[in-house]
Amino acid sequence: MANYPVNVPDRGDVRVELNEMFDLAAKRAAAMAAAFTLFSTEYSRSKGKAPNDLRAMLSYDEPDILALILERGVARGEIDAGRLTPPIAHLLPDLFRHHVLMTWSAPDADLRTAWIDTIFLPLVGAEKACF
């Protein structure tokens, strides 16, 4: 995780920031999928924990970049905070993780952009924002 940090500064546009977050996450996806698969079986067997517990342990000191991006988007009026229910707020990383774990590869840039533009932003976008 430390070799592939996912830090996204304020770019003034939630779409740009989400794409940058995914680009950075994609760089570490294949290595993380392999490591997660190897460690999760032994960790689950020896500790009796679920894969989500291992993920939390591996990323415990990482800042929640998505939450920060969404907060900035709300502050700029690009995102309607009322639409950020927990399932929707976690949708993008859930899609990303599912793809990585099912394919052992990062989703390509076109797919990531489609998730942002055709699924996520229409769900959370403020009425005045134009995506």
Side-chain angles (χ1 to χ4, degrees), residues 1-6 23-33 59 62 96 100 106:
M1 299 285 250
N3 290 338
Y4 300 98
V6 179
D23 290 345
L24 294 169
K27 291 179 181 178
R28 69 178 176 185
M32 289 305 299
S59 62
E62 267 197 335
F96 190 90
V100 171

Side-chain angles (χ1 to χ4, degrees), residues 13-90:
D13 184 297
V14 73
R15 183 181 180 277
V16 170
E17 293 170 10
L18 289 170
N19 273 302
E20 186 172 341
M21 178 191 74
F22 270 145
D23 290 345
L24 294 169
K27 291 179 181 178
R28 69 178 176 185
M32 289 305 299
F36 188 79
T37 301
L38 290 172
F39 292 121
S40 66
T41 302
E42 181 58 30
Y43 181 79
S44 295
R45 188 170 55 91
S46 68
K47 305 282 186 192
K49 304 260 183 174
N52 194 44
D53 297 322
L54 176 61
R55 183 177 74 65
M57 182 189 75
L58 291 173
S59 62
Y60 80 96
D61 65 344
E62 267 197 335
D64 188 344
I65 296 302
L66 179 59
L68 181 59
I69 291 170
L70 297 177
E71 287 172 18
R72 292 190 303 232
V74 168
R76 289 190 299 256
E78 298 173 271
I79 293 178
D80 180 344
R83 294 180 176 184
L84 283 176
T85 62
I88 292 173
H90 296 117

